[in-house]
Amino acid sequence: MSYLSELALQYIDGEWRAGSGSWDIVDVDPYTGDKLATITVATVEEVDRAYRAAERAQKEWAATNPYTRRLVFERALRIVEEREPEITAAITAELGGTALKAGFELALTKDMLRESMQLSLRAEGRLLPSPVEGKENRLYRLPVGVVGVISPFNFPLFLALKAVAPALALGNGVVLKPHQETPVVGGTLIAKIFEEAGLPAGLLNVVVTDIAEIGDAFIEHPVPKVISFTGSDRIGRHVATVAASHFKRTVLELGGNSALIVLDDADLDYAVDAAVFSRFAHQGQVCMAANRVLVDRSVEAEFTEKFVAKVASLRVGDPKDPATHIGPLINTVQADVITAQVDQAIAAGARALLRGETNGSLMDPVVLAGLPADAPILQRELFGPVVMVVPFDGEDEAVRIANDTPFGLSGAVHTADVERGVRIAHRIETGMIHVNDGTIADEPLVPFGGEKNSGVGRLNGESTVDAFTTVKWISVQHGRSRFPF
């Protein structure tokens, strides 16, 4: 089936329907500019209908045997496996993902569905002792009720499912609002997969809309108890503020400005490979991407020569071509913004060791060096194929430079001495950091999240259980309590 044309609808209370808003979101291929689909936006009333449907359906779902719930995720996994070619084509068309990127996202998606099968059985209770004679303290792990999920455009299938599937597995209802640039892959495709997998109607709803139509209604609505948001730190700050004013919990997976550190004893060829992947995977549109490559000055010249040569060999072009390494950015506006930031950096004193052209949404890779320490571009998250090479003298300076950013998501350290790498990793202010590897990694059991402006909370494994459940204390007095009056 053609996902992009057939799924250009809202999915509310188990029904596919057109939105009733007064304008349309146009889904565009970022490489060709062709219109893929047109979706009339959902209104505030439809957001309400979606939340109310999830609230109704959730109660019966929460009471369902978790072994029965997990069958839905087994079937969803089979559907994804069976339809990989179609889903790959949708990822390529809607977000400009290369074959490598699509395969990477699908692998992560399948791992998350496998993990969700297990999460259905992982909401375990506890018995705790009491200082009161004869009292038994029971702690029950219960679903929060309904979770609102706002997903991004860069890895829309995986990053939406990363919240949607575990929330459902743990007995919740979900309303998903995908990014308007990827409404199908990040939204209605997921609804279709779960519909075919036998998820009861109403439990998962997808509303394709925009803040211009609904304002903050998605966050402010009284039904959802948790809002899971993945996106920029600017929007994340707003989501957190609005949610907190309504006493809602948030899970915020926000931006990054990761540093990949190359020490004086590193395997330079390996470090080059890790750095190139860490910066240029999916055109650099990855929150964990290595914006900054920090290199010990003693090996700077050798590393930089090899690094620039490898980057120069990357092929830019049609994401449908299996030989393409770098496809289009999500739209021409994003490409123009990144290009302007590069121009500003060069005007302020940076040197371009490698720079090509920007044509529409396609942008050739850029390698900058010689940046002034106060260059604004060093502080930003760059969602494009631009990397900065920064030299340092000694470990202390490497740590200082790596931490000189408002973000703290990921990072990497390359060294021949693993324990030296771990010591430095401890000093870097990030939620995640990897020794002798790239900066881009996500595993279903390991807590994923950042520090500083990179987010609040964690997902994956036990962290996901904490995020999408609540704890209830029920005590039982087997004897008789004594009261003071």
Side-chain angles (χ1 to χ4, degrees), residues 142-227:
L142 304 173
V144 295
V146 176
V147 177
V149 178
I150 305 172
S151 63
F153 68 79
N154 58 335
F155 276 71
L157 177 63
F158 169 61
L159 291 176
L161 266 174
K162 183 173 180 162
V164 169
L168 290 170
L170 290 163
N172 299 289
V174 174
V175 179
L176 167 63
K177 189 190 90 62
H179 195 283
Q180 55 267 38
E181 296 281 2
T182 51
V184 175
V185 173
T188 53
L189 169 59
I190 294 169
K192 186 63 176 175
I193 290 169
F194 278 109
E195 181 185 53
E196 293 187 9
L199 186 72
L203 268 176
L204 172 60
N205 304 267
V206 177
V207 289
V208 180
T209 189
D210 184 81
I211 195 170
E213 175 69 27
I214 65 169
D216 287 328
F218 190 89
I219 308 167
E220 293 175 333
H221 196 282
V223 166
K225 301 300 185 291
V226 175
I227 302 294

Side-chain angles (χ1 to χ4, degrees), residues 31 96 98 283 315-321 324-328 362 364:
Y31 178 68
T98 63
Q283 296 75 267
R315 182 169 175 177
V316 180
D318 187 348
K320 299 181 189 67
D321 184 342
T324 295
H325 299 103
I326 298 177
L362 279 180
D364 291 336

Side-chain angles (χ1 to χ4, degrees), residues 40-88:
T40 302
V41 295
T43 61
V44 171
E45 290 74 20
E46 284 157 331
V47 170
D48 176 68
R49 195 176 306 150
Y51 273 129
R52 298 298 176 186
E55 183 181 40
R56 287 194 307 272
Q58 185 270 334
K59 293 176 176 59
E60 184 176 350
W61 179 244
T64 301
N65 187 305
Y67 279 92
T68 300
R69 289 204 303 262
R70 74 195 298 266
L71 296 176
V72 171
F73 303 95
E74 290 182 13
R75 292 191 291 265
L77 175 61
R78 287 200 297 271
I79 290 167
V80 171
E81 290 173 335
E82 290 166 1
R83 300 190 181 168
E84 279 197 33
E86 292 170 274
I87 297 173
T88 296

Side-chain angles (χ1 to χ4, degrees), residues 306-338:
K306 293 181 176 183
F307 180 70
V308 172
K310 176 110 179 175
V311 175
S313 73
L314 299 179
R315 182 169 175 177
V316 180
D318 187 348
K320 299 181 189 67
D321 184 342
T324 295
H325 299 103
I326 298 177
L329 297 182
I330 192 64
N331 53 44
T332 56
V333 172
Q334 180 73 7
D336 290 343
V337 167
I338 298 295

Side-chain angles (χ1 to χ4, degrees), residues 62-378:
T64 301
N65 187 305
Y67 279 92
T68 300
R69 289 204 303 262
R70 74 195 298 266
L71 296 176
V72 171
F73 303 95
E74 290 182 13
R75 292 191 291 265
L77 175 61
R78 287 200 297 271
I79 290 167
V80 171
E81 290 173 335
E82 290 166 1
R83 300 190 181 168
E84 279 197 33
E86 292 170 274
I87 297 173
T88 296
I91 290 173
T92 298
E94 191 172 60
L95 56 140
T98 63
L100 173 65
K101 191 270 184 189
F104 185 43
E105 183 163 9
L106 278 164
L108 291 169
T109 297
K110 289 184 287 187
D111 275 346
M112 185 51 62
L113 287 170
R114 293 185 186 101
E115 172 64 8
S116 295
M117 296 178 206
Q118 305 305 316
L119 280 170
S120 298
L121 311 176
R122 210 174 287 168
E124 300 170 346
R126 298 176 65 193
L127 290 176
L128 294 180
S130 171
V132 178
E133 194 67 33
K135 178 173 284 188
E136 176 184 292
N137 288 318
R138 304 180 186 183
L139 297 186
Y140 290 86
R141 179 73 71 169
L142 304 173
V144 295
V146 176
V147 177
V149 178
I150 305 172
S151 63
F153 68 79
N154 58 335
F155 276 71
L157 177 63
F158 169 61
L159 291 176
L161 266 174
K162 183 173 180 162
V164 169
L168 290 170
L170 290 163
N172 299 289
V174 174
V175 179
L176 167 63
K177 189 190 90 62
H179 195 283
Q180 55 267 38
E181 296 281 2
T182 51
V184 175
V185 173
T188 53
L189 169 59
I190 294 169
K192 186 63 176 175
I193 290 169
F194 278 109
E195 181 185 53
E196 293 187 9
L199 186 72
L203 268 176
L204 172 60
N205 304 267
V206 177
V207 289
V208 180
T209 189
D210 184 81
I211 195 170
E213 175 69 27
I214 65 169
D216 287 328
F218 190 89
I219 308 167
E220 293 175 333
H221 196 282
V223 166
K225 301 300 185 291
V226 175
I227 302 294
S228 176
F229 170 80
T230 305
S232 72
D233 62 312
R234 181 178 63 85
I235 302 300
R237 188 184 303 275
H238 178 74
V239 170
T241 300
V242 175
S245 70
H246 291 269
F247 299 100
K248 299 178 188 294
R249 285 157 48 186
T250 53
V251 181
L252 305 175
E253 302 289 342
L254 308 179
N257 183 16
S258 299
L260 186 146
I261 301 171
V262 182
L263 298 179
D264 54 3
D265 61 347
D267 178 333
L268 296 187
D269 291 329
Y270 178 63
V272 164
D273 290 346
V276 171
F277 176 77
S278 296
R279 176 62 263 183
F280 296 103
H282 192 42
Q283 296 75 267
Q285 299 175 122
V286 183
C287 58
M288 296 171 282
N291 287 0
R292 301 168 297 152
V293 177
L294 313 186
V295 188
D296 189 282
R297 203 177 297 275
S298 66
V299 294
E300 177 192 7
E302 182 181 357
F303 174 88
T304 302
E305 181 182 0
K306 293 181 176 183
F307 180 70
V308 172
K310 176 110 179 175
V311 175
S313 73
L314 299 179
R315 182 169 175 177
V316 180
D318 187 348
K320 299 181 189 67
D321 184 342
T324 295
H325 299 103
I326 298 177
L329 297 182
I330 192 64
N331 53 44
T332 56
V333 172
Q334 180 73 7
D336 290 343
V337 167
I338 298 295
T339 300
Q341 291 175 342
V342 171
D343 290 338
Q344 292 164 7
I346 292 173
R351 300 191 317 274
L353 303 182
L354 181 71
R355 188 180 188 188
E357 299 178 345
T358 299
N359 294 307
S361 58
L362 279 180
M363 185 175 181
D364 291 336
V366 178
V367 180
L368 298 177
L371 291 106
D374 60 351
I377 198 170
L378 285 169

